[in-house]
Every structure is written in structure tokens, then in C-alpha cells.
Amino acid sequence: QHYKSITFIEHNMSNSEAPVGSKRKSRVSDKDTPSTNHVKRHPVPVKEPVMAELAPECAAGIIVKFRDVTAAAYRTKSGIQKTPLVKSEALSAILGCELYLKKEYELRTGSFKERGARNALLKLTDEERKKGVIAASAGNHALALAYHGGLLDVTVTVVMPVVAPIMKISQCQEMKANVIVHGASIAEAKDHAMTIVEKSGQIYINGYDHPDIISGQGTIGLEICSQVEDVDAIIVPVGGGGLIAGVAVAAKNMNPDVKIIGVEAVRCKSFTEALKAGKPVRAATHVSLADGLAVPTVGLNAFVTAQPLVDKVVTVSEKAIALAILRLIEIEKAVVEGSGVVGLAALMDGLLPELAGKKVVTILCGGNIDTTVLGRCLERGLAADGRLLSFTVVVKDAPGGMNSLTQMLTDSGASIKDILHERAWLLEDVFAVRVRCMVETRNSEHTEHVKSMLASNFRHVEFIGMCDHSTDTPNGP
């Protein structure tokens, strides 16, 4: 009743009836598989607020202009470094396009959020600076405000939910921000922040929909167009919509022929839902490797700015995100968070075939990933790449029984990562033991070889979850 995907290993299984090389597949929903969505144009009621909790500057449907972005670039040039944009020869050969990587994760706090944060802080009046600013954020926006608030001598308060990574909470405190940990989600943290605003008069800076934030993020588009001549397409991660709105304004004004393509995680399709409805609407959000994109409702300012300029939006699976994180580490030696790799994931997953042979830039927008989460991502990436195999096999519970299995795996070149004996559930044969094992292989072809070898030499073998993450069900704990 509570879990969408579950497999029971029956204690009374009749092993004598199991066929050689038998498999058991867990039931996985194919709901919410990756999709592509070409943008449909809808008239937008610009003056209609869609969320009661929006800060005043985010409730009027303000369209950010090119002059706002260029002004932001001039305003922030002394405090924001120009990030590298490099061609990846290896990934270009693999993907069949001329791929450039915009390395926003190399900024001081590890993400593009610094651009908008510094721009917004610099535009404060003297009176607003005295009051200080406040924001609700689980990570990158909080870090950006804390860092640049310290540089500009502006008091910064950040409300972070209890699920925010401890590392990011500590970093904000080290940067002298007033950190309040409150709420089980970012929505609850925001509600608390708005309550504080009513009492203190602090200036609330929305992390993705404040016009000055959008203008600041747009400076990435200016840099891209100056760094890559005649770029054909820019692929942008989409969460609340501020990044793609700013980049689209800048890039389309400098190169009207450039294609702006947004990429969302399949577990939070808020921009896709907004395009369908013609206005921001609340979308279902679920836990994702691209946690920074899990914004249930896109910003109204961001949406009305981006909608006429975005050419296409696609959604990517958790499998593709995990595999993209792995590829960047292995090929580019770059540690990028799940939110930052979705553009590469879309290319690797074949969702953008029209970009073959084109000059393409994908924005690696952040690198703030916890080490524990990184370990999980790498393991899932290995599984998605067909380089992890999990199985159970019945061997003799006698001297040499285990040796026959381990020696066979050794001879095949597979590396054992985990192994477990299960005696209690094997009731038919007291002189046998079921062994649950996970091994690492070189590639999917090697995995198939190991599977064939096990099926040929052991009568009772069952392969579990063989790197099948092609569907991403959003249900579960």
C-alpha cells in the first residue's frame, strides 16, 4: 500500500521447480517517462498574480528586458568572474555535436546563483540595505546571498528547511549570514520567511523570480555569445525559470537564430505544466537527483519573460541524470550536481536529435553536491551504464561451495562489491545456501557475458534490477 516498487523473496520458494537462469522482474510503473515538449504559445495574463505568497515584485508579471541584463553585467563585473566555456572533444565525439560546457560551478559558492544575488544586492537603496535582506533557500541561493552580502556589507538572513544539507547550513553560518532552520520543506521555510518580513521589514529576494535575479542570471547568456561564435543552441536547466528566462533574453537579442532549449527533471515538470496551462501552475514534485530543480511552481516573472523565447522543453529521467554525473567525472574530471547535468543528460538520452552536427552549449550550473549523495549518484550511474549486476544464486553449503562462485566471477573479470549469505529462507535443501551478490563489470556487454556464465553453471540464479531504470516512477517514500 505504501511502496510503488517492491519485490518479495519467498521463504518457501521451490527451488527444484525454478528453471535454469530464471529471472524475476520487479513491477515498475512506466508513468512519467522522459518526454519532449515543443513550446506552445499562449496569451499570458501579465497582471494576474498566481500565488498569494509571492513577494510584491514577483506578483505583477514583469518582463525582463535586454537592457536589464546588460546593466546587470556592467553592475556586477567587478564581483563576478567570467566563467570558462570549453569544448569537450570527448563528449563531442560521443554525442555527434560540437559540445561546449559552460562551467558555472567554478564560481566561488559553486553555482550560477551568485550573478543574480550580487545584482539584486547592488540595486538595494540605502534604506533597504539598512533593513537587510531575507530569502528562503535550501542551498545555492542562500550561499550566494550570504557570500555577496558579506562582501557588500548587507545583513543577510536565510531560512533553510530542516532537509537542507548540513554542509550548506554550516557554510552560510561561516559567511556570517543569520541562518534560521525552519520547516520540513522549502515551502514551509518560505512561509516562515514571509512572516519575518511582515514583522521586520526586511527585503525578501526570491531566488528565481525577482526581476533583478533574472537579469543577473542573464549575464551567462551574454558571456556565451561572446565566447562561442555563431552558437546554434543553448541548453539550460529549468527549475523556477529564472535562469532560462535571463539567458533567453540575452542570447536571443544577440543572436536571434540561437535555439533556447530547457531541460527539466521528469519528477518535477513545473515549466512544462506552465506551458500547457499558459500560466504558472502548481506541479507535483518528487525527490530527484536534480533537487535544485524541484520547484513546484515556476516564477511568474520568469515565465512571462521566457515563454516567447524558449524553443523547446524536454524532461530527463533519473537514470539519465545519474549517468551524466558519472560521465562528467570520468571524462571531464568535473564534479557537477544533478541539477547542473540535465542538459548533458538530455543529449546523452537522445532527446535532442536535431542538434546533431550543431554547435551546442550546455550550462553546468552548479557543483554543490554532498559527498554522500555523490556516492549514491555514482553507484546509480554505474547501474544505468550496465556496469553493476545484482543477483542471487544457490550454492552448496559445504567447503568449496562459495569458492566455485567467487572463482568463476574472478575468472570472468567481474569485481565483487557486496555479498551476503541467506540460509533462513531456503527450506527445501538444508545443505544449500542462497547468496546475494552485487558485482561491478566493465560494460553492458561484459555484464551480459557474466549473466550467461552464471545461468549456464548454476541451476538457481535470479537477476535483480538489472540496471533497468528506464522508467522513473515518482511514487514511493
Side-chain angles (χ1 to χ4, degrees):
Q1 295 178 0
H2 299 283
Y3 298 91
K4 186 69 177 179
S5 178
I6 184 169
T7 301
F8 295 103
I9 308 297
E10 299 87 345
H11 76 275
N12 60 348
M13 182 191 299
S14 176
N15 286 299
S16 59
E17 297 176 359
V20 174
S22 63
K23 301 178 183 178
R24 178 167 304 173
K25 296 182 179 178
S26 60
R27 296 177 181 178
V28 182
S29 168
D30 61 357
K31 184 180 178 181
D32 290 327
T33 53
S35 64
T36 60
N37 300 278
H38 289 277
V39 175
K40 295 180 179 179
R41 311 300 182 193
H42 298 273
V44 179
V46 173
K47 295 297 181 181
E48 178 187 356
V50 296
M51 294 190 296
E53 71 272 20
L54 284 172
E57 72 279 355
C58 301
I62 299 170
I63 297 177
V64 173
K65 303 295 185 181
F66 182 61
R67 62 176 177 269
D68 301 319
V69 179
T70 55
Y74 180 80
R75 191 178 296 116
T76 61
K77 66 179 181 178
S78 63
I80 299 293
Q81 68 183 62
K82 191 173 186 178
T83 55
L85 193 153
V86 298
K87 181 180 179 181
S88 172
E89 298 291 349
L91 290 173
S92 295
I94 293 171
L95 298 172
C97 64
E98 193 174 334
L99 182 63
Y100 294 82
L101 307 176
K102 182 62 169 167
K103 298 185 176 182
E104 289 296 296
Y105 62 88
E106 292 195 6
L107 288 170
R108 169 63 177 80
T109 62
S111 85
F112 74 100
K113 290 286 189 178
E114 289 190 28
R115 298 172 180 271
R118 187 173 183 86
N119 186 52
L121 290 172
L122 286 171
K123 287 199 68 178
L124 294 173
T125 65
D126 291 340
E127 182 180 351
E128 290 171 335
R129 290 171 65 91
K130 292 177 182 177
K131 293 179 180 179
V133 301
I134 186 171
S137 169
N140 290 344
H141 181 53
L143 286 170
L145 275 180
Y147 176 62
H148 286 280
L151 294 179
L152 299 171
D153 197 26
V154 177
T155 301
V156 174
T157 300
V158 291
V159 183
M160 307 181 78
V162 295
V163 295
I166 295 175
M167 177 189 70
K168 293 182 180 180
I169 294 175
S170 299
Q171 287 176 336
C172 287
Q173 291 171 333
E174 291 169 3
M175 293 173 185
K176 308 305 180 184
N178 300 320
V179 179
I180 301 172
V181 180
H182 182 94
S185 66
I186 191 64
E188 292 183 12
K190 183 176 180 179
D191 289 340
H192 187 65
M194 297 308 292
T195 300
I196 295 174
V197 168
E198 292 177 2
K199 296 178 180 179
S200 68
Q202 290 172 281
I203 308 303
Y204 185 84
I205 299 182
N206 187 295
Y208 54 85
D209 202 38
H210 193 292
D212 296 335
I213 292 288
I214 297 172
S215 301
Q217 320 304 29
T219 60
I220 301 174
L222 298 180
E223 289 185 12
I224 290 173
C225 291
S226 68
Q227 290 170 308
V228 180
E229 187 178 354
D230 297 326
V231 59
D232 293 306
I234 302 174
I235 307 176
V236 188
V238 181
L243 177 58
I244 195 170
V247 169
V249 169
K252 286 285 190 178
N253 274 274
M254 295 186 72
N255 178 5
D257 294 328
V258 67
K259 300 297 183 185
I260 303 297
I261 299 173
V263 184
E264 293 184 292
V266 72
R267 293 187 168 214
C268 184
K269 303 182 288 187
S270 54
F271 200 88
T272 299
E273 295 303 319
L275 289 172
K276 291 178 181 177
K279 64 180 181 179
V281 293
R282 189 172 185 84
T285 60
H286 306 278
V287 176
S288 171
L289 295 177
D291 57 337
L293 304 184
V295 178
T297 309
V298 299
L300 180 59
N301 299 330
F303 182 74
V304 298
T305 300
Q307 187 197 24
L309 304 174
V310 175
D311 296 284
K312 186 177 182 180
V313 178
V314 300
T315 59
V316 293
S317 67
E318 296 294 290
K319 168 187 172 181
I321 294 171
L323 190 54
I325 292 173
L326 178 65
R327 285 287 185 269
L328 282 173
I329 289 177
E330 291 186 326
I331 296 176
E332 295 297 322
K333 318 307 176 193
V335 178
V336 183
E337 62 187 88
S339 305
V341 305
V342 293
L344 177 60
L347 289 168
M348 291 172 53
D349 220 22
L351 300 178
L352 302 171
E354 68 273 20
L355 299 184
K358 302 292 186 180
K359 192 179 292 186
V360 181
V361 172
T362 185
I363 301 174
L364 306 181
C365 62
N368 292 319
I369 183 170
D370 283 352
T371 51
T372 52
V373 175
L374 178 60
R376 297 172 195 166
C377 290
L378 294 180
E379 196 160 74
R380 293 189 182 192
L382 288 170
D385 204 22
R387 292 155 60 183
L388 281 185
L389 175 63
S390 181
F391 62 90
T392 61
V393 61
V394 176
V395 301
K396 292 181 180 180
D397 194 8
M402 274 293 291
N403 181 65
S404 63
L405 172 62
T406 56
Q407 188 60 53
M408 192 175 300
L409 291 171
T410 299
D411 294 341
S412 72
S415 175
I416 299 174
K417 292 182 65 68
D418 195 16
I419 193 165
L420 175 68
H421 292 71
E422 293 178 345
R423 289 185 174 86
W425 310 118
L426 197 64
L427 302 184
E428 288 77 12
D429 188 350
V430 295
F431 299 108
V433 61
R434 179 182 288 119
V435 178
R436 183 182 293 269
C437 194
M438 182 169 66
V439 299
E440 184 176 353
T441 61
R442 292 187 295 271
N443 48 44
S444 56
E445 290 78 13
H446 187 204
T447 297
E448 290 300 321
H449 169 72
V450 173
K451 288 178 63 180
S452 177
M453 177 197 66
L454 291 170
S456 299
N457 287 275
F458 294 94
R459 179 170 177 78
H460 309 301
V461 60
E462 178 182 337
F463 299 104
I464 304 169
M466 167 52 190
C467 64
D468 183 14
H469 307 290
S470 57
T471 56
D472 289 298
T473 170
N475 301 301

